């Protein structure tokens, strides 16, 4: 928990989510305009998103924790790594910041400021992918905070780099980003009607990570007992 | 502020800006010659620029601060992170270095040494993109210096990697580089007549970052008062 | 050797190998669907695999050592860096985890859960490539543990990034991953009948690395004697 | 200077140069086979080379300094960072290792073990590019050793990543690698008759870097005198 007042922490969450979404949406538009190969578009989208995540988490982490993501705030409040009383305000700031990021990207690319997405992203396979992506993200954050707190920014950037490719057509793993992406009818969009399924999947993934972490990352309190659990050769 | 004499600090700024521009312009020419897919060209351009930034800031930062950018020198002088008396000389060295970088790139690729660019980069959307890109760059530098001074080189390299993609057709965020790029009629060029708009946008972006930083990054002096600003649960 | 009980160490090995294989197989499927250029597919595959390796080794290393690879476990047991009594269990967890990773990737991409691969990967050139790739991986791990234990995650990620390209059509360097990849008939598959040749090559490569390391990385115990081995100028 | 005996230092130089060249040549062959877009080939070549350089310098640096490059050994002997008596042996090991790397790459890709290259790389523009590339490499190493010795591996990897693109059609910046590449008639080859021009250019670039470094990186011994050189505001 940081020593910055709530107002600045909320500004940090809004700013970070805005720049994150502006990068995700903007780099998608840019890549789509420059090439007809969707793999190349996704590669550019991946590179830009991974890079900006490392930057934003490094510079805003000391102020607000740099969640930029409602499920991360919920999980950290549950683990008492942030005051529960701020969670609602954090989530509000993240959603507003995300929408502002979409607006900014559209303005920079001279597009109508908000357009409802028509990109279909639904079905059990997509939901499984989204559960997996969010499980991974939250587990990486919890394990990172436990073992290498100084490297969390890099770990999240690299994890999302991989997750863009191993889950079907870009993971979101983030309800605030998902909402912001429902307002762009470009490369990275998602139909508003598909949002609830994605958000439920994201919450489910986060819960799974929380559950696993509460066992796997638990302090190994009695090293003596370890040798007892080892089978004799 | 470093302990190196001004002559060496100016040489460092000129050398760094020259190698930065040679990389930006040179990798653009190279990529353009090798492929007909502009997304692939931009990807190569991004990779080379991000990589050289990390290198140059790491090795020349201890000598001159490694600004390579007039708005960065202005902002740091304003924040008293460098002597105001050196700013003019710094800016001169950066502009000369940048032009030398364009010359070097052209010579390596057997092109006429200087050619005025005809690439149109103007209009309110582009200016907004340039304000955003420079705002981000300056904010990343100020927040980086505040929280993770050892990581600024990496942060700037990664930020520019993202900014090449989320702002329309490569950000400049740097008046010295913009001037140098007006002298190449290749992938990364910009029409001289479009320079003033870009430079005004860059200064505006830097001022916005300075304004935000003076509030958001301010020392949290009285941690006790923090809990008071927290709403009760 | 960590202080975590065996049950959690095995869970860590299974989880890590599952996510590694899900990334290798999933990103291969994704890339293959998006582009018809196999170099671009391999580039995406490389990026995702390298990134997830750095993440998984960093966050699971403190629990189980993050081998995710039977030959690595064997080598480390031989070097007494893990208890020999756990090796069999480790290998079992890695193989089960790997197969689960293939299942997960197929489910996310709405493919039949298991399909036997028909991709031919055999012949002396391939075996030489696999010996080389595994030799390099094991040597990098042993030398990394000796000189820069904190950087092993990054070193392995970068090494595999290079090895995907310098050995013929993606290296495996890992029997558990090879088995898991025999169960996917997609971009990254390998025919089951080609497995034995690959696994023998991997063991050979690991032995070569072990042999070299036992001489090259040996403690330089008597620095005085060094100067004696230097020829006079 | 390390405390390892000369025999192991030479083995380290030979091994490192062999793996470096195997990666440069191997990834070039692989990429060329997979795609018809030369920019994509160079991108893969760049990624693999940059990654393996970071790995090899990190793990072999503590043994032999990880030069893998005759001009680097010459420069470091001149700066008394290695014993002059070992330079000849180092250069021999590097050249032999490089040729072995070409052999290994050819064997892995089932090509005739040695084939004389027919790729023309000559002319003043190329030589200028090679002077620039080697100047940059040697300056990066000297400045890195001076200010951030722990980061030299990363700096060299990133520098070469950029230099592959900003100098005309891949820099060599390394006589041992250039010789090894004259023996492959693939993507990364160079005609033997063009070698002397390249090697002269490399030595020239190294000398320029040495000259600049001896002034620019010189210890700033008397900080008081600094303020005197500052013009009054």
């Amino acid at each position: 928990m940081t020593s910055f007042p709530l107002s600045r922490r909320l500004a940090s969450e809004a700013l970070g989510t805005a720049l994150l979404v502006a990068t995700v949406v903007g780099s998608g538009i840019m890549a789509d305009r420059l090439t007809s190969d969707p793999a190349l578009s996704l590669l550019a989208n991946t590179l830009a998103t991974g890079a900006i995540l490392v930057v934003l988490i490094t510079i805003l982490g000391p102020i607000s924790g740099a969640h930029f993501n409602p499920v991360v705030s919920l999980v950290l409040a549950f683990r008492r790594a942030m005051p529960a009383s701020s969670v609602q305000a954090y989530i509000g700031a993240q959603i507003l910041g995300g929408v502002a990021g979409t607006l900014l990207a559209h303005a920079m690319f001279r597009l109508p400021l908000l357009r409802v997405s028509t990109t279909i992203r639904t079905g059990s396979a997509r939901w499984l992918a989204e559960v997996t992506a969010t499980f991974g993200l939250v587990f990486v954050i919890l394990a990172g905070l436990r073992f290498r707190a100084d490297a969390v920014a890099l770990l999240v950037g690299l994890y999302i780099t991989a997750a863009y490719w191993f889950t079907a057509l870009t993971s979101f793993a983030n309800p605030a980003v998902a909402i912001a992406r429902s307002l762009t009818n470009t490369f990275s969009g998602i139909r508003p009607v598909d949002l609830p399924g994605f958000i439920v999947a994201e919450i489910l993934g986060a819960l799974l990570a929380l559950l696993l972490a509460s066992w796997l990352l638990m302090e190994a309190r009695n090293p003596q007992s370890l040798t007892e659990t080892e089978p004799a050769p």
Side-chain angles (χ1 to χ4, degrees), chain A:
Chain A
M1 304 188 206
T2 76
S3 59
F4 286 83
L6 186 61
S7 56
R8 288 201 255 159
R9 285 191 283 144
L10 296 180
S12 165
E13 287 295 308
L15 175 68
T17 317
L19 290 178
L20 172 59
V21 168
T23 301
V24 171
V25 173
S27 66
I29 296 171
M30 173 72 117
D32 227 22
R33 284 192 182 170
L34 292 184
T35 185
S36 57
D37 186 324
L40 198 51
S41 289
L42 186 54
L43 202 62
N45 201 211
T46 302
L47 196 70
T49 306
I52 206 74
L53 273 168
V54 176
V55 172
L56 294 173
I57 297 175
T58 303
I59 63 171
L60 298 175
I63 298 176
S64 67
H67 309 164
F68 315 147
N69 187 338
V71 303
V72 172
S73 295
L74 284 168
V75 162
L76 291 180
F78 185 84
R79 304 266 292 193
R80 290 163 201 250
M82 75 171 282
S85 60
S86 319
V87 171
Q88 262 187 302
Y90 260 57
I91 294 179
Q94 290 156 359
I95 293 175
L96 286 178
V99 173
T102 300
L103 289 172
L104 178 61
H106 287 169
M108 288 194 291
F109 285 94
R110 206 189 283 273
L111 292 171
L113 291 189
L114 290 180
R115 285 200 299 188
V116 170
S117 173
T118 57
T119 307
I120 300 170
R121 299 188 195 254
T122 190
S124 57
R126 287 278 161 79
W127 294 331
L128 174 64
E130 195 62 14
V131 169
T132 306
T134 316
F135 162 80
L137 174 64
V138 172
F139 185 78
V140 165
I141 292 171
L142 293 175
L145 288 173
R146 167 96 163 74
F147 296 123
R148 283 289 303 268
D150 63 311
V152 169
L154 188 65
L155 294 174
V156 169
L158 289 173
Y159 173 76
I160 292 295
T161 296
Y164 260 36
W165 285 95
F166 79 72
T167 64
L169 208 43
T170 88
S171 62
F172 290 68
N174 186 332
V177 170
I179 290 169
R181 283 166 68 166
S182 73
L183 299 170
T184 186
N185 197 16
T186 63
F187 184 75
S188 56
I190 174 174
R191 278 194 315 180
V193 72
D194 296 341
L195 276 179
F198 261 66
I199 293 175
V200 168
E202 286 158 3
I203 292 172
L204 212 66
L207 287 176
L208 283 175
L210 202 54
L211 208 72
L212 180 68
S214 72
W215 171 66
L216 194 58
L217 305 178
M218 193 176 36
E219 205 74 46
R221 248 164 300 176
N222 192 350
Q224 274 82 356
S225 68
L226 164 68
T227 52
E228 292 167 25
T229 66
E230 294 265 11

